[in-house]
DNA sequence: TGCAAATGCGCAATCGATTGCATTTTTATT
DNA sequence: AATAAAAATGCAATCGATTGCGCATTTGCA
């Protein structure tokens, strides 16, 4: 029929060529035991000759399965997130899944739009780290309602009961703060992120808890809340240093602000770590190579991505109903910016 | 029929509810002028009430169009590539396309497998930066043969005639080298990348040409070829410094090796840039914040991604047959590592 | 040789949306 | 009111692969 057209060969073309039915071709190509070896070989030979490639769209429609995992991150172009994506792709590819990706730019509106589009595209599962700005989660509840596997990583939504892969932010922050205390710093400030996100909320509380355990009075004025961009760092540290009783160390909610703070103080001639200790969070690549190198908390992005993919694939394929929250350990990396007792 | 099932509502469910035909529903939802406003409104109301979401799989099959752009990079988790991906996503999302992503890990075998899978998934177009290791390009020729838009970025294949987005590596390298010469460095070494990739090949030739223009004798022993990982940097610079007549400046094929070299020399007590000049390539985020900051060439990753997406979408939608190679300008960023004449 | 049990394969419906063409309904015109 | 013209909607095939069920052919065993 369309043998000579510019169109792709289908199982029907193969069937016509061999004067058999398309069902048989389909079964043969899927290695169905109901088809004899001899027939299978003939079919595969013709398929090869015609350059046949299965049309996954058709197959997906019939099977109601897209073999696709969606992943939504705030910003692709950021080391931690791209590491997670890389980890997801690594596992997904091996398991025969495609990965479609989108970034919310930390905007709720875009996130909603993306999530709906992912649903329309019938992704088999969705891995997401929610946008800073998102506060309503109906778009995600849709996935739960429809029983489509949903995995949060890093930034999870407490009120949605599903699988979650997080790092122990509380513990990480606790250890950071304890480390600063151990180094002899007394007044320790904290640059906190948006408190609607559990990650930043937990980091702040880990910090507070460490102070409490060490009988250090918690001083609200030493906490500065922002979105933790590189622009947020300087005004925050300026304000802190202008206090009547300024801090002598700071735990920054991420490495980006830690760097801003470090450069600001360095330029002011304040010696790091002798006069002032700095610790960040996330272990961005640059934190190791700046001078002084910045102490930080390692979040295993690639491993998180792998775990998230493994988890979602098992959910897709087994449909088991129990949800788990996997907390990956963090690692405190002590570098020069906070290490004055060598 | 399946009204109460656990299945998604379809246009047929809407049609049944209103006792009209599915065709009308389909047309109404697509805003076809052939349907009266009144009917459209009724249909949209029911669609909303049922929580109808179009099944893109079905639509894609019928339209023979997946609304999906594939992108293949060597490694997602690398700043330049993730920037490109981010740029692609930015444009693609706005135009209503999905982005499916995969990484070759610089392995030819995985690249081939990915590309075939992308084809089976009927991506509407493919954006790719080929793997270092790839030397046979039949898998890509398939896309050309099938008239599926194909855009190379950064690492292109000369023998395949299609759209390409590259930066002017030759020019960038030329300017780097000229800059080092202007700074008074005489013997200038070069860490080159795999010469089967045009990018690295062009960088080397830009370097050589700059030397020639300045009547500096080209010394083959000052060129070291490697895969430019951070591990490659140290042995390379060690070997160069052990030469009878060692270099006093180096143009590194990327920032990663530039950093390794910088740290190595700094630890040896060699003053940078006074005694030795270093320039990298790509403007990795860290190169700005290390000490001394590393001079480098800015490759506009995000913009490349945007351009690539724009180009491929225009190809998908217009099918115009002319291929273009877009060369984006690079920018020489002079920082402390090579700036001794202040 | 006879008949049941395997084995191999085909028919036709299905997944959900789209669309050329036909049909029905409405509107306009004389 | 009659008829042409325009507008609105429906029928049925289609995209390509999958699969339950049934039919036909082969094999096995007494």
């Amino acid at each position: 029929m369309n043998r000579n057209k510019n169109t792709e060969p289908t199982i029907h073309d193969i069937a016509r060529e061999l004067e058999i039915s398309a069902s048989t071709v389909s079964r043969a190509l899927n290695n169905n035991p109901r088809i004899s070896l001899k027939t299978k070989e003939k079919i595969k030979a013709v398929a090869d000759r015609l350059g046949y490639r299965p049309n996954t769209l058709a197959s997906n429609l019939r099977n109601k399965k897209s073999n696709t995992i969606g992943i939504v991150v705030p910003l692709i172009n950021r080391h931690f997130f791209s590491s997670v994506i890389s980890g997801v792709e690594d596992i997904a590819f091996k398991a025969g899944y495609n990965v479609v990706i989108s970034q919310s730019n930390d905007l709720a509106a875009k996130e909603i739009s993306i999530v709906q589009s992912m649903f329309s595209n019938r992704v088999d599962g969705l891995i997401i780290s929610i946008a800073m700005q998102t506060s309503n989660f109906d778009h995600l509840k849709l996935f739960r309602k429809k029983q489509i596997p949903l995995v949060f990583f890093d930034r999870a939504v407490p009120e949605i009961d599903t699988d979650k892969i997080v790092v122990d932010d509380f513990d990480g922050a606790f250890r950071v703060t304890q480390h600063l205390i151990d180094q002899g710093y007394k007044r320790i400030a904290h640059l906190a992120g948006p408190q609607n996100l559990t990650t930043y909320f937990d980091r702040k509380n880990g910090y507070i808890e460490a102070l409490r355990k060490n009988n250090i009075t918690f001083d609200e004025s030493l906490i500065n809340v922002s979105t933790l961009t590189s622009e947020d760092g300087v005004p925050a540290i300026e304000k802190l240093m202008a206090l009547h009783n300024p801090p002598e160390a700071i735990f920054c909610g991420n490495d980006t602000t830690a760097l801003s703070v470090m450069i600001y103080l360095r330029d002011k001639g304040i010696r790091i770590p002798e006069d002032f200790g700095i610790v960040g969070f996330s272990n961005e690549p640059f934190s190791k190579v700046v001078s002084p190198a910045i102490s930080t908390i390692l979040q295993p992005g690639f491993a998180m991505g792998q775990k998230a993919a493994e988890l979602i694939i098992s959910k897709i394929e087994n449909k088991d109903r129990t949800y788990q929250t996997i907390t990956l350990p963090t690692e405190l990396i002590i570098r020069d910016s906070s290490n004055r007792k060598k």
Side-chain angles (χ1 to χ4, degrees), chain A:
Chain A
M1 208 198 244
N2 55 17
R3 179 132 21 135
N4 302 314
K5 292 302 187 62
N6 186 16
T7 169
E8 281 303 300
T10 71
I11 52 170
H12 296 98
D13 297 316
I14 298 177
R16 190 176 323 108
E17 187 114 346
L18 289 167
E19 299 190 304
I20 55 179
S21 80
S23 332
T24 302
V25 175
S26 171
R27 292 192 175 102
L29 294 173
N30 289 309
N31 241 326
N32 185 310
R34 282 168 48 184
I35 307 298
S36 73
L37 199 61
K38 201 162 54 172
T39 313
K40 278 183 187 169
E41 279 169 355
K42 275 193 301 189
I43 290 175
K44 283 175 185 166
V46 175
D48 277 356
R49 180 158 52 74
L50 297 184
Y52 170 80
R53 303 268 162 212
N55 183 323
T56 350
L57 293 182
S59 166
N60 290 344
L61 173 61
R62 172 65 215 232
N63 294 326
K64 289 169 164 279
K65 186 162 187 302
S66 63
N67 277 298
T68 295
I69 294 171
I71 174 163
V72 186
V73 298
L75 196 60
I76 294 168
N77 173 20
R78 212 160 77 203
H79 185 254
F80 172 68
F81 290 121
S82 66
S83 299
V84 174
I85 296 167
S86 186
V88 169
E89 196 277 343
D90 180 57
I91 297 294
F93 183 80
K94 289 175 188 159
Y97 285 84
N98 296 108
V99 177
V100 323
I101 195 182
S102 235
Q103 57 195 340
S104 65
N105 293 321
D106 266 323
L107 301 176
K110 188 170 178 197
E111 181 178 289
I112 291 171
S113 170
I114 289 169
V115 169
Q116 289 177 345
S117 153
M118 294 260 177
F119 179 79
S120 281
N121 281 286
R122 299 296 190 269
V123 293
D124 293 334
L126 186 69
I127 297 174
I128 184 170
S129 184
I130 61 168
M132 273 201 191
Q133 224 217 39
T134 304
S135 53
N136 176 298
F137 304 107
D138 292 346
H139 54 300
L140 294 171
K141 287 177 184 156
L142 176 68
F143 274 76
R144 294 292 306 106
K145 199 185 311 168
K146 306 283 187 186
Q147 310 265 31
I148 302 169
L150 176 66
V151 172
F152 288 115
F153 75 91
D154 194 47
R155 299 184 191 163
V157 178
E159 67 196 82
I160 297 184
D161 182 33
T162 190
D163 293 299
K164 297 169 188 178
I165 315 255
V166 294
V167 296
D168 198 335
D169 289 284
F170 182 92
D171 180 63
F174 184 94
R175 284 157 64 204
V176 163
T177 313
Q178 184 66 55
H179 159 68
L180 286 170
I181 294 169
D182 292 345
Q183 289 288 322
Y185 298 108
K186 296 275 175 348
R187 275 180 73 72
I188 301 171
H190 175 46
L191 296 195
Q195 293 296 297
N196 59 319
L197 295 178
T198 53
T199 46
Y200 298 120
F201 184 72
D202 291 350
R203 287 176 204 175
K204 189 184 76 181
N205 286 323
Y207 154 80
I208 293 176
E209 176 61 14
L211 296 183
R212 208 190 54 71
K213 272 248 168 109
N214 288 273
N215 296 314
I216 299 177
T217 318
F218 165 55
D219 182 349
E220 185 78 44
S221 69
L222 288 180
I223 291 195
N224 181 292
V225 179
S226 72
T227 52
L228 299 181
T229 67
S230 60
E231 288 77 35
D232 291 323
V234 171
I237 186 68
E238 268 178 343
K239 203 169 144 197
L240 287 167
M241 297 310 278
L243 285 178
H244 177 63
N245 192 358
E248 52 185 16
I250 190 166
F251 161 39
C252 302
N254 64 14
D255 282 355
T256 311
T257 49
L259 177 64
S260 300
V261 166
M262 192 269 276
I263 291 174
Y264 174 85
L265 293 176
R266 196 177 66 185
D267 290 353
K268 289 278 178 210
I270 294 175
R271 293 178 310 158
I272 300 165
E274 292 80 359
D275 303 337
F276 201 100
I278 302 175
V279 185
F281 208 105
S282 284
N283 192 29
E284 295 285 340
F286 63 75
S287 54
K288 183 166 96 184
V289 294
V290 294
S291 306
I294 298 174
S295 302
T296 190
I297 288 284
L298 168 69
Q299 286 173 294
F302 190 82
M304 283 180 86
Q306 289 182 310
K307 266 271 167 268
E310 282 167 6
L311 195 53
I312 211 161
I313 290 170
S314 91
K315 280 283 154 37
I316 292 169
E317 297 180 352
N318 308 328
K319 294 281 176 202
D320 66 87
R321 305 261 165 184
T322 61
Y323 298 118
Q324 41 185 317
T325 295
I326 297 180
T327 304
L328 295 183
T330 60
E331 189 186 326
L332 173 62
I333 303 180
I334 299 174
R335 299 201 179 103
D336 286 347
S337 72
S338 66
N339 194 18
R340 66 177 173 185
K341 289 190 177 171
K342 291 183 193 174

